[in-house]
Amino acid sequence: MPVGEGLALYSAALEAGRLGLPLLEVGTYCGRSAILLADAARASGVVALTVDHHRGSEEQQPGWEYHDPETVDPEIGLMDTLPTFRRTLHRAGLEEHIVALVGRSPQVAKVWGSPLGLVFVDGGHTDEHANADYEGWAPHIAAGGLLVIHDVFPDPADEFTGQAPYRVYLRALASGAFTETAATDSLRVLRRTGAGI
């Protein structure tokens, strides 16, 4: 995540933290954005949550441009970013301000029952995964809470992994439940202002 987008995410998380509700991230990878949410949660007196299966997104698998062989568990031959994520939190001194939910986003969303102040969507970039993240978590955003979507690329020539986040962004706006409040490069911040999702 570029610095400008990281600062915009941090600012949104601080704002949402004023609602006194948890901040949730979908798509943790190794924890760069999670430390921003955890620090904002610390400053706001709330908790941050991350949801990820830690097996990597499509573009992070072997043979793809964003694959990092160091994230592969040598015993089972699959990616496992959870140890790196935990080290990232430890080094940042933020372990007590974040809860890692290890599992697939739609499965965790089905059992989630509490309102959220912020949902940051940065998981899988296929239409199937991006829509499942939106459908699973957007209904949990409290009135006045924020939906933050990463990798929104309106121009197909600018994108690197598909335009699913852009289509989810358009879907959220078309629902009438969200109003855009900020845009920083590929990061969009929307406030929940209505009921229909």
Side-chain angles (χ1 to χ4, degrees), residues 131-143:
N131 278 301
D133 292 341
Y134 173 75
E135 291 165 5
W137 293 106
H140 297 292
I141 300 171

Side-chain angles (χ1 to χ4, degrees), residues 119-158:
V119 170
F120 174 47
V121 177
D122 193 22
H125 285 50
T126 64
D127 283 305
E128 175 188 1
H129 292 127
N131 278 301
D133 292 341
Y134 173 75
E135 291 165 5
W137 293 106
H140 297 292
I141 300 171
L146 300 177
L147 171 64
V148 182
I149 306 170
H150 193 225
D151 294 327
V152 174
F153 294 103
D155 183 350
D158 293 336

Side-chain angles (χ1 to χ4, degrees), residues 55-195:
R55 296 292 186 211
S57 296
E58 303 80 17
E59 72 276 5
Q60 296 160 345
Q61 299 306 315
W64 289 80
E65 180 180 356
Y66 296 97
H67 178 65
D68 179 356
E70 291 186 18
T71 63
V72 175
D73 180 331
E75 186 175 325
I76 62 172
L78 297 174
M79 287 184 65
D80 185 0
T81 58
L82 185 58
T84 305
F85 166 65
R86 295 197 65 187
R87 283 190 295 274
T88 299
L89 286 178
H90 177 75
R91 288 178 186 139
L94 293 167
E95 289 178 292
E96 65 186 75
H97 300 287
I98 196 161
V99 175
L101 303 167
V102 180
R104 297 202 174 274
S105 170
Q107 292 171 315
V108 178
K110 282 182 186 177
V111 299
W112 189 259
S114 301
L116 298 165
L118 177 141
V119 170
F120 174 47
V121 177
D122 193 22
H125 285 50
T126 64
D127 283 305
E128 175 188 1
H129 292 127
N131 278 301
D133 292 341
Y134 173 75
E135 291 165 5
W137 293 106
H140 297 292
I141 300 171
L146 300 177
L147 171 64
V148 182
I149 306 170
H150 193 225
D151 294 327
V152 174
F153 294 103
D155 183 350
D158 293 336
E159 59 85 27
F160 65 95
T161 56
Q163 284 193 288
Y166 175 62
R167 288 188 283 273
V168 165
Y169 158 76
L170 294 177
R171 181 180 176 189
L173 290 175
S175 74
F178 295 97
T179 303
E180 185 171 350
T181 63
T184 303
D185 298 325
S186 76
L187 190 84
R188 300 295 185 273
V189 180
L190 295 83
R191 182 178 314 286
R192 182 153 188 191
T193 55

